[in-house]
Amino acid sequence: MTAATMQQQALAEAADMVSSVPTGLFIDGAWRAAADGQQFSVHDPATGDVVARLANATPSDAMDALDAADRAFPSWSRTPPRERAELLRRTFDLVMRDRERIARIITLEMGKPLRESHAEVSYGAEFLRWFGEEAVRISGRFGSSPEGTGDMIVSRHALGPALLITPWNFPLAMATRKIAPALAAGCTVVIKPAALTPLTTLYLVKLLEEAGLPAGVVNVIPTTNSGGATGPIIADSRLRKISFTGSTQVGRVLLEKASANILRSSMELGGNAPFLVFDDADLSRAVEGALVAKFRNIGQACTAANRFIVHASVAQEFSRRVAEKVAQFKLGSGFDPDVAIGPLIDEAAVAGVDELVQDALSRGATLVTGGKRRGGAGTFFEPTVLTDVARDSRLLREEIFGPVLPIVTFDTDDEAIAIANDTEYGLVGYAFTASIERGQRLINELQTGMMGWNVGVLSNAAAPFGGVKMSGLGREGGAEGIDEYLTTKYTLLPSVFRP
Ligand code: NAD
């Protein structure tokens, strides 16, 4: 079968998959239309075609969702942890059962190559399994006061109804990374997926329902009116938690709103990851790491390497080897099995990347490969490598969110670390060096929440994911992830052994 026929077949299958996705809002255990009957369209970014029409939640629908989450909270938070765990585990099994279907839905609405969608399904499902396992390990402490007169109990409790807002770039994983720890902790949720990619979340919720989700525990409100629909929920004192993944700009707006009710807030925001290659690095490994750290998800990841900071003595060789590979990347529909680079999410994304590349070129950067958008249907930008990038170029300051790999050089370790830290962001850094001492120094001195040492991808459900500086607050995944949905209570009682 040719690549074109396989692509056609995959697209036909994907359209069939969409018919299995619910098109309504999910509130209080029932699928329903929006209060005003309005709908919005979801597009395939590779073709621009409309692939679905969905209910568009209004502010009153959003308040119904909060009402339902609030009503369900007392009983869900008292549901035995083992039962909460088993719901998550059953959902994990259902996601694995339907992994082909979910991968196709992701590629259809978001554009990433199908094999990357499969990887997202594995990664995203893992949060359901991991937090199912964590649900039965929520523990407190017991101890004597130092004076010996009192017994001190430290217990942990579910916070209450939570609002979860997710971005479009990892439609499954960003949803499970929030829903799973919230439910494990005993919180109920209202989730608002990105309007560009709501289908995956709707399908996930259908699986939660199949797994036995009680009414009101998870409510979903896709909407194009994100500020209008979520504003009244955030202003309502029954909401006790907001967890947001998205841009720093929107995160700041939400934090301001959250401050009115002193809402517990988790913010997974933008990144501007440095990718350091030292003169002692294994270059083959560094090139391999660079390609995945940059081009995974078409460069549209908060963890995407944004600035390649390479020792002057290896920069030429590194650039040559990277560019050679990048020039061979095929651009096209994610359903074509030979494609490495799918479409960007929309027209605004293409225009933004184009602007950053033009800015770098106007400041003297050398274009090694790529450099322009592709004409015709869909929103494509060529995979691009730029060298000699001037330090004041916008693409070194801003999140590129596209398939563009800019290279700058350094001479000393101090200089490399200074360049790496010269950003308001601090999500992740990558470092390629054979030296243990240098690696240890970087762990201490890189101002980031995460570091990949001789690796280009590090996300794992068992690890705490999150950033410092303007990359956010809190951690998702790992033992830390469930803490975001729990509060700590201290109780003192007279000691039975009172002296
Ligand atoms: P975005 O900030 O535009 O939107 C994120 C979500 O917020 C969407 O659901 C959107 O509809 C919603 N939203 C937008 N304005 C809102 C408002 N006023 N009130 C309530 N909700 C609102 O981000 P995006 O373009 O969807 O995603 C890309 C960004 O997300 C990048 O900056 C990327 O780095 C970041 N991101 C971060 C992580 C992380 O874990 N740190 C992971 C993935 C993406």
Side-chain angles (χ1 to χ4, degrees):
M1 206 187 303
T2 65
T5 337
M6 278 171 78
Q7 185 186 337
Q8 280 307 322
Q9 187 181 326
L11 260 172
E13 279 169 19
D16 188 42
M17 297 306 157
V18 168
S19 62
S20 64
V21 179
T23 57
L25 314 174
F26 188 67
I27 296 174
D28 207 11
W31 296 95
R32 63 175 229 203
D36 61 3
Q38 295 297 307
Q39 292 191 316
F40 69 102
S41 302
V42 180
H43 297 88
D44 171 358
T47 60
D49 294 346
V50 172
V51 295
R53 300 264 307 149
L54 304 178
N56 197 358
T58 65
S60 89
D61 293 315
M63 285 311 286
D64 287 350
L66 178 63
D67 289 345
D70 183 52
R71 274 195 306 275
F73 177 69
S75 115
W76 181 247
S77 57
R78 280 187 228 117
T79 299
R82 176 65 71 203
E83 277 182 41
R84 302 201 300 261
E86 281 173 359
L87 174 80
L88 292 172
R89 174 64 208 213
R90 282 195 298 276
T91 311
F92 168 82
D93 290 338
L94 294 173
V95 169
M96 295 323 284
R97 180 195 71 189
D98 290 356
R99 58 184 177 270
E100 280 299 328
R101 175 175 300 203
I102 299 171
R104 286 197 160 79
I105 295 170
I106 293 174
T107 292
L108 187 70
E109 66 176 347
M110 188 270 159
K112 72 181 76 175
L114 197 52
R115 68 175 168 283
E116 290 191 27
S117 294
H118 279 122
E120 183 181 344
V121 174
S122 304
Y123 172 55
E126 210 48 65
F127 288 101
L128 297 162
R129 178 155 66 173
W130 173 262
F131 284 110
E133 290 158 350
E134 290 297 284
V136 293
R137 312 207 194 297
I138 300 169
S139 58
R141 311 200 288 279
F142 176 82
S144 296
S145 65
E147 302 74 27
T149 53
D151 287 343
M152 307 170 99
I153 299 171
V154 178
S155 52
R156 328 260 318 281
H157 306 267
L159 277 170
L163 173 63
L164 315 177
I165 301 178
T166 52
W168 49 263
N169 60 347
F170 290 94
L172 181 72
M174 296 304 98
T176 53
R177 205 164 79 173
K178 295 186 191 306
I179 293 174
L183 266 52
C187 292
T188 53
V189 308
V190 175
I191 179 163
K192 192 212 79 62
L196 292 164
T197 59
L199 300 176
T200 309
T201 307
L202 290 168
Y203 195 81
L204 170 68
V205 171
K206 187 171 125 161
L207 295 184
L208 275 158
E209 195 186 8
E210 185 181 339
L213 181 77
V217 172
V218 175
N219 305 275
V220 192
I221 50 163
T223 179
T224 52
N225 179 12
S226 43
T230 57
I233 300 186
I234 301 171
D236 191 306
S237 61
R238 291 173 299 168
L239 187 76
R240 292 317 314 146
K241 167 79 192 177
I242 180 166
S243 177
F244 170 76
T245 296
S247 60
T248 297
Q249 197 187 354
V250 172
R252 189 181 291 116
V253 169
L254 292 172
L255 271 176
E256 264 177 47
K257 291 189 183 177
S259 69
N261 285 332
I262 319 291
L263 204 51
R264 271 279 291 274
S265 306
S266 302
M267 295 280 143
E268 296 286 351
L269 308 178
N272 180 0
F275 188 103
L276 300 159
V277 183
F278 291 87
D279 55 359
D280 63 349
D282 173 336
L283 265 200
S284 303
R285 189 177 264 188
V287 169
E288 209 178 291
L291 296 175
V292 58
K294 176 73 254 183
F295 294 102
R296 187 172 71 106
N297 226 42
I298 318 148
Q300 304 169 115
C302 52
T303 50
N306 217 56
R307 298 169 293 148
F308 289 77
I309 304 161
V310 185
H311 192 270
S313 67
V314 294
Q316 215 176 350
E317 176 67 4
F318 176 81
S319 311
R320 187 186 63 73
R321 285 164 70 170
V322 161
E324 212 173 81
K325 298 266 191 195
V326 173
Q328 289 164 10
F329 282 165
K330 185 173 176 190
L331 186 66
S333 160
F335 288 109
D336 176 341
D338 298 329
V339 156
I341 309 290
L344 293 182
I345 189 68
D346 60 12
E347 184 50 45
V350 177
V353 171
D354 196 29
E355 225 177 78
L356 292 181
V357 170
Q358 293 311 321
D359 171 78
L361 292 173
S362 75
R363 292 172 204 264
T366 305
L367 180 66
V368 187
T369 184
K372 55 183 191 309
R373 59 176 306 156
R374 193 187 78 177
T379 41
F380 293 92
F381 197 91
E382 294 174 350
T384 299
V385 176
L386 297 167
T387 55
D388 312 312
V389 177
R391 297 270 172 91
D392 59 352
S393 303
R394 277 181 54 200
L395 86 181
L396 298 182
R397 304 247 142 244
E398 301 172 28
E399 212 178 6
I400 303 172
F401 242 57
V404 179
L405 189 157
I407 300 174
V408 298
T409 58
F410 70 89
D411 291 309
T412 65
D413 287 15
D414 286 349
E415 191 189 355
I417 293 170
I419 301 173
N421 288 338
D422 183 20
T423 169
E424 62 196 9
Y425 295 106
L427 189 61
V428 59
Y430 303 92
F432 283 73
T433 175
S435 158
I436 301 279
E437 289 77 11
R438 189 179 265 145
Q440 287 172 313
R441 177 177 177 198
L442 292 167
I443 293 176
N444 286 324
E445 295 189 23
L446 272 192
Q447 296 165 359
T448 59
M450 301 177 283
M451 181 171 124
W453 182 355
N454 295 333
V455 295
V457 189
L458 42 64
S459 301
N460 192 302
F465 186 107
V468 298
K469 294 158 80 176
M470 291 218 203
S471 288
L473 306 170
R475 293 293 179 269
E476 289 190 322
E480 291 80 355
I482 201 165
D483 291 343
E484 304 282 321
Y485 297 90
L486 293 168
T487 185
T488 299
K489 180 177 267 183
Y490 154 59
T491 306
L492 180 70
L493 57 154
S495 167
V496 283
F497 305 115
R498 190 197 284 264

